[in-house]
Amino acid sequence: MSYAMNDFGKLLDKYIVGMTDETLADRIGTSKVTIYNWRTGKIKRPSRQKVLKCADVLKLTPKQRGDFLKAAGHSSANDEPQQLAIPVVGPPIIQPYQFFGRENILSQIYWAWNKTVPESIAIIGPNRSGKTSLLNYLNNITQATHLRPEQPKGWPNDWLPRSFKFALVDFHDANMHKPETLVTDVLRQLQFKIPQSCNIADFSSIIKQKVSHPTVILMDDIEAGLSASALDTTFWQNMRSLASHGKLSFVVTASEPPVQLAHDGGKTSPFFNILGHTLQLEAFTENEARELLANSPKKFSQEDIDGMLKESGCWPESLQKLCDTRLQKMWLGKNQRRVGKKKRAVGSKKLPQSS
Ligand SMILES: Nc1ncnc2c1ncn2[C@@H]1O[C@H](COP(=O)(O)OP(=O)(O)OP(=O)(O)O)[C@@H](O)[C@H]1O
Ligand SMILES: [Mg+2]
């Protein structure tokens, strides 16, 4: 079925099932009222950027993305204009072509996943080290419509988790602190039919009956999940049981080893014992950091690059910020020179002709 312009609201209504307007609004950085206006057709033509963000959050297939763009009056996803790989300052990386480095971690993930049942993993990293960016990369890489020429990296022979299904749970989202909304959102992402009301028992039986592909739940910031009182021991035990049946695998991020966190928070659930590998996010290697800087829209001098590597310690957030500041300086310098030139030109025209 193809969709004409103005069908955007209808399509959104179809694709959003299982997610509240509020959650979608939070994730794409707009208001609940705007989402309502899109769904009801009061706003018929959201910006291309907003439609693409929506498509990412709703995890649409390339075909669905194309229909979605067309329904909002934009050309299809395949001819998306190439956007800049860097700098990205503030939010986590969402688009795989903006993701750099982490080759070592990705090869360890490959090793853990290239088994009959993918093994569960904990990713530990300090604040702002790139935990969410890594989960977004895992979640989106198989559906990426464009990548940098040297990507993907870290996985052998162009291996990608193509047969895998993923669901991302962001525990910063308060809606994910309630078991019913969490499991409904996971079923929606895995593209299973969602029952009218879904509790943890319904979820477990759907997963046990329906899962036939390697299926990984990516849980971002497990500290926030552990502090949610409604996600009690029963919830974590159910998750563990699904992992033990080989139905689900997990990747959880935290700033400290989760077993320690669960213990400190009084939730000594055996769920955390299923996390076989614990991988530590460190700074980029020098080569990874150089590769990021080499993707700048304006070329930096060797001296500038060396300065940024040293000042950032090769941590990605710091590299991105330094790069942004330098690009801004270059742009301001160029602008001032242009304004200066214009002023001089106007000034010289006004000068009375000397006889
Ligand atoms: N792999 C990467 N490639 C490029 N930039 C990255 C990468 N990882 C992180 N960054 C940069 O670092 C910033 C912080 O990343 P991210 O939000 O993923 O970290 P985090 O560990 O999840 O942070 P928090 O502790 O706030 O949850 C991003 O805004 C981005 O600029
Ligand atoms: Mg994060």
Side-chain angles (χ1 to χ4, degrees):
M1 179 169 182
S2 73
Y3 288 87
M5 191 178 155
N6 295 343
D7 283 344
F8 180 77
K10 283 186 207 151
L11 271 187
L12 178 58
D13 239 14
K14 180 175 156 190
Y15 295 147
I16 202 175
V17 173
M19 184 183 278
T20 61
D21 287 8
E22 200 176 354
T23 301
L24 179 62
D26 270 2
R27 293 200 188 162
I28 66 168
T30 190
S31 69
K32 210 169 95 182
V33 176
T34 305
I35 305 287
Y36 177 79
N37 288 340
W38 290 350
R39 287 176 55 165
T40 52
K42 274 195 191 154
I43 299 177
K44 292 191 166 39
R45 227 195 123 135
S47 75
R48 181 186 182 84
Q49 202 199 5
K50 282 270 184 308
V51 178
L52 287 172
K53 268 195 178 170
C54 253
D56 287 336
V57 171
L58 297 170
K59 294 180 71 179
L60 302 188
T61 63
K63 159 90 176 67
Q64 290 171 331
R65 280 169 80 91
D67 287 347
F68 211 33
L69 277 165
K70 198 173 155 212
H74 303 290
S75 61
S76 89
N78 289 341
D79 45 45
E80 272 173 45
Q82 191 68 40
Q83 289 160 6
L84 298 179
I86 61 162
V88 177
V89 177
I93 304 294
I94 295 181
Q95 302 295 343
Y97 70 86
Q98 295 183 310
F99 182 86
F100 288 84
R102 304 291 176 222
E103 278 181 58
N104 182 30
I105 294 268
L106 290 172
S107 26
Q108 293 187 68
I109 292 176
Y110 165 78
W111 186 253
W113 282 359
N114 196 24
K115 310 265 166 71
T116 318
V117 177
E119 291 167 5
S120 294
I121 300 168
I123 310 247
I124 314 299
N127 283 349
R128 313 298 297 153
S129 56
K131 301 178 292 294
T132 307
S133 300
L134 176 62
L135 292 193
N136 285 340
Y137 180 78
L138 299 173
N139 196 25
N140 297 331
I141 181 65
T142 53
Q143 300 200 15
T145 45
H146 65 271
L147 290 170
R148 301 191 311 278
E150 75 276 13
Q151 286 185 304
K153 279 195 159 186
W155 287 333
N157 308 322
D158 295 334
W159 181 85
L160 282 179
R162 285 205 175 84
S163 61
F164 283 46
K165 287 173 90 178
F166 293 100
L168 179 65
V169 177
D170 173 8
F171 283 120
H172 285 125
D173 177 352
N175 288 305
M176 295 300 112
H177 292 191
K178 296 171 232 153
E180 289 77 18
T181 38
L182 185 155
V183 294
T184 304
D185 190 47
V186 168
L187 289 180
R188 181 192 61 75
Q189 294 186 55
L190 299 176
Q191 294 175 334
F192 288 134
K193 199 159 177 259
I194 304 165
Q196 276 280 316
S197 72
C198 184
N199 59 28
I200 184 81
D202 302 324
F203 173 77
S204 296
S205 76
I206 294 172
I207 295 288
K208 281 182 191 158
Q209 282 168 32
K210 298 266 159 75
V211 162
S212 54
H213 292 265
T215 301
V216 182
I217 311 293
L218 308 161
M219 291 185 159
D220 196 15
D221 195 1
I222 197 91
E223 283 109 320
L226 288 171
S227 70
S229 53
L231 301 179
D232 53 11
T233 315
T234 314
F235 170 83
W236 295 110
Q237 271 167 352
N238 267 282
M239 292 293 155
R240 179 196 160 104
S241 158
L242 292 170
S244 308
H245 278 84
K247 289 294 182 184
L248 294 181
S249 306
F250 294 84
V251 177
V252 308
T253 69
S255 58
E256 284 177 55
V259 176
Q260 184 64 40
L261 287 171
H263 186 259
D264 293 350
K267 291 188 179 172
T268 50
S269 160
F271 170 77
F272 299 96
N273 298 340
I274 60 161
L275 302 168
H277 298 266
T278 298
L279 311 179
Q280 181 77 42
L281 277 188
E282 312 272 1
F284 281 179
T285 63
E286 187 181 323
N287 278 346
E288 290 172 345
R290 283 188 185 279
E291 190 176 320
L292 182 142
L293 295 178
N295 274 271
S296 160
K298 293 263 177 264
K299 211 168 175 305
F300 294 122
S301 70
Q302 206 44 57
E303 199 189 344
D304 252 357
I305 291 177
D306 291 342
M308 284 190 271
L309 292 181
K310 198 162 165 218
E311 199 179 331
S312 66
C314 294
W315 284 98
E317 182 180 43
S318 179
L319 281 166
Q320 297 266 18
K321 282 186 176 162
L322 288 167
C323 172
D324 190 55
T325 311
R326 285 208 176 29
L327 286 170
Q328 192 188 25
K329 263 193 194 154
M330 283 171 160
W331 177 77
L332 282 176
K334 202 172 152 193
N335 233 19
Q336 274 160 6
R337 280 196 299 279
R338 197 182 298 143
V339 172
K341 246 186 191 170
K342 244 190 192 163
K343 272 191 184 157
R344 279 197 298 280
V346 172
S348 67
K349 265 190 200 157
K350 280 187 185 158
L351 279 179
Q353 294 279 317
S354 57
S355 52

